[in-house]
Amino acid sequence: MADGDKGNRALRPSTEVLTRGFDPALSVGSARPAVFRSSTYVFPSPEAAEHAFDVMAGRARLAPEEGVALVYSRFNHPNAEILEEHMLPLEAGAQAALVFNSGMSAIVTALLAHLQPGQSVVYTVPIYGGSQKFIQSFLQQWGVNGVAVPGGNSRALDAAIANTPNLAVVLIETPANPTLTMTDIRRAVESVHKLGAIRPLIMVDNTMMGPTFQHPLLLGADIVLYSATKYLSGFSDLIGGFALSKDPHHLAKIRSLRSLFGTILQPDECWILDGRLPTVATRMRAATENAQQIAQKLARHAKVKRVLYPTLFEDGDQVRIRDSQCDAPGAMLSIELHGGKQAAFTFLRGIRIARNAVSLGGVESLVCHPKTTTHSGFTEQEFAQAGIGDALVRVSVGLEDWRDLLADFEQALQTA
Ligand SMILES: *Cc1c(COP(=O)(O)O)cnc(C)c1O
């Protein structure tokens, strides 16, 4: 589906996302892509079918300029190809993209492609609950050793990278959810490169800040992972994921497992998500401006103990990491109230505009209580280490007028 201008990197991302990757001639001239709801594709000849299967099985190579043939929609389909082409310019440094039917399936498929029994994965905590469960419960049973390192602790991460035997993958989620603690991606890359030519891959879950404000591939990371359910989709109405890399070879194994597992996103969802990509940066910038206003003002509120938000960082190292790897503070913040769970619940009950729901990154603001919901699987020790207390409320700031959101939080604080 590429229209031949793949190499044209003179255009900026917001232009490229609207001009590349889709040829109207292949969609009866329609200005926007059609939805190709077909499970299978017709071959022009038996020889072409034989060649397509030879290529898929690795018995033959693609000729220069030859695209991967459309065969069967568990492997590949036009709406996935169009979407992947449109995602590339948004992720700085990316040369290849794969779309998945959830963020978790992107993470699981990527980890399984690059880990074998007897190998280890180092990961930052707190990390997304599903990622943690997959590494700690599932991979463990399959003989993969998981080593957790507190996010933001560069020395501990250096040590884990240097000392973990058979280390194959380092998975970094930054900023951490819900504390927004940041891990230094570039430093992790340097640590990994000290191990020599045979080194672990660095994967970054970029869901919180990417693709607009954080660019792990430019910092040396190998693979970037997404829950597209969040900012990329932006309307809390679909589940999807991405894996991207500057090196298509890193994605080849992931692609082949995606075909095997059937973790590709379906055509209708690809089409919906594709239409959201041109507005990701605009939505993220607007939500971030809102979040900045709300964070600064709530930080001074008498009923608020502290607000966790990148512009309010006080730790020198966190400030340095923020300034070196994030273009903007983002639209997630957490509010720690005076008091305990009761204060947090009363506050949540009093909020009228933001909805009490998990998930994030939508145009509508969402609030939740991490300790009893998204992070309820943590042990007391993990809560303490991550800094997730009883009185912590997480806010995903959307696109409502910030003055209305702030006034609503303030009236809810009066009741808390
Ligand atoms: C939501 C989320 C995931 C999981 O994505 P799904 O689309 O729900 O499968 C992974 N990582 C982060 C940081 C998330 O916020």
Side-chain angles (χ1 to χ4, degrees):
M1 286 287 137
D3 56 3
D5 64 354
K6 266 188 185 174
N8 189 353
R9 285 307 167 89
L11 298 175
R12 290 163 183 83
S14 56
T15 310
E16 267 210 285
V17 70
L18 284 162
T19 51
R20 67 181 276 145
F22 165 60
D23 180 357
L26 296 172
S27 290
V28 295
S30 64
R32 294 293 297 171
V35 183
F36 295 87
R37 299 191 69 182
S38 185
S39 60
T40 193
Y41 286 82
V42 177
F43 297 108
S45 68
E47 288 78 12
E50 182 181 30
H51 177 64
F53 275 78
D54 282 344
V55 168
M56 278 196 298
R59 290 183 295 263
R61 285 178 165 274
L62 285 177
E65 301 296 301
E66 181 188 356
V68 181
L70 293 166
V71 174
Y72 183 66
S73 295
R74 198 180 74 241
F75 309 149
N76 198 13
H77 57 76
N79 292 101
E81 288 190 348
I82 293 167
L83 174 58
E84 287 162 356
E85 280 290 320
H86 283 157
M87 183 62 191
L88 281 184
L90 298 187
E91 185 65 41
Q95 295 294 335
L98 293 171
V99 67
F100 290 86
N101 51 18
S102 70
M104 274 314 297
S105 68
I107 293 165
V108 163
T109 310
L111 288 176
L112 286 173
H114 289 286
L115 284 164
Q116 286 175 15
Q119 291 185 324
S120 301
V121 51
V122 162
Y123 61 105
T124 55
V125 286
I127 198 164
Y128 183 72
S131 306
Q132 173 152 346
K133 189 166 180 191
F134 181 67
I135 293 170
Q136 286 181 351
S137 312
F138 185 89
L139 284 180
Q140 180 81 24
Q141 288 180 330
W142 292 83
V144 173
N145 174 39
V147 178
V149 173
N153 188 336
S154 298
R155 276 207 206 107
L157 188 55
D158 286 346
I161 289 170
N163 302 327
T164 303
N166 301 320
L167 181 60
V169 174
V170 177
L171 175 60
I172 295 171
E173 185 180 311
T174 184
N177 163 26
T179 57
L180 300 164
T181 304
M182 294 187 178
T183 296
D184 190 338
I185 298 170
R186 200 191 307 263
R187 177 151 168 180
V189 168
E190 283 164 9
S191 288
V192 153
H193 281 273
K194 283 186 193 139
L195 298 177
I198 299 169
R199 59 164 185 91
L201 293 182
I202 298 221
M203 302 188 185
V204 176
D205 184 331
N206 206 29
T207 301
M208 292 280 182
M209 289 281 193
T212 311
F213 302 138
Q214 183 170 275
H215 318 292
L217 298 176
L218 298 186
L219 301 171
D222 299 295
I223 293 172
V224 163
L225 300 165
Y226 279 98
S227 169
T229 311
K230 315 295 167 55
Y231 291 102
L232 291 173
S233 151
F235 290 81
S236 304
D237 59 1
L238 68 83
I239 303 281
F242 271 105
L244 297 116
S245 179
K246 61 191 157 205
D247 181 352
H249 293 294
H250 291 325
L251 292 193
K253 272 197 214 163
I254 305 176
R255 176 190 285 279
S256 111
L257 274 196
R258 183 185 70 171
S259 295
L260 189 63
F261 294 165
T263 47
I264 193 169
L265 190 64
Q266 299 271 340
D268 291 280
E269 268 78 7
C270 284
W271 183 87
I272 296 169
L273 184 51
D274 185 58
R276 305 285 169 76
L277 294 190
T279 59
V280 176
T282 309
R283 284 185 276 109
M284 288 187 80
R285 288 198 191 102
T288 296
E289 279 179 26
N290 279 351
Q292 270 174 276
Q293 294 287 355
I294 293 165
Q296 308 287 356
K297 293 185 170 70
L298 286 185
R300 293 195 295 266
H301 195 284
K303 296 231 170 157
V304 172
K305 195 165 162 196
R306 60 181 183 144
V307 173
L308 306 178
Y309 188 66
T311 56
L312 301 170
F313 283 173
E314 283 171 356
D315 178 89
D317 203 42
Q318 285 292 299
V319 169
R320 181 188 58 78
I321 300 172
R322 176 198 72 196
D323 292 344
S324 71
Q325 74 186 24
C326 299
D327 299 343
M332 294 297 297
L333 57 95
S334 289
I335 305 169
E336 191 171 13
L337 304 176
H338 291 295
K341 177 176 166 187
Q342 217 38 57
F345 275 32
T346 308
F347 177 54
L348 283 170
R349 262 193 297 273
I351 295 170
R352 306 221 170 88
I353 295 175
R355 312 263 183 214
N356 181 4
V358 298
S359 198
L360 57 100
V363 292
E364 64 289 300
S365 295
L366 300 176
V367 286
C368 73
H369 185 247
K371 190 159 185 190
T372 53
T373 60
T374 50
H375 294 70
S376 60
F378 274 28
T379 62
E380 281 307 322
Q381 196 198 342
E382 286 171 327
F383 282 129
Q385 192 182 48
I388 300 170
D390 286 314
L392 197 71
V393 171
R394 183 184 84 179
V395 185
S396 167
V397 179
L399 298 189
E400 303 89 347
D401 192 302
W402 67 267
R403 292 164 296 193
D404 294 332
L405 287 171
L406 180 65
D408 189 35
F409 290 137
E410 284 171 345
Q411 69 75 26
L413 282 170
Q414 292 318 318
T415 65

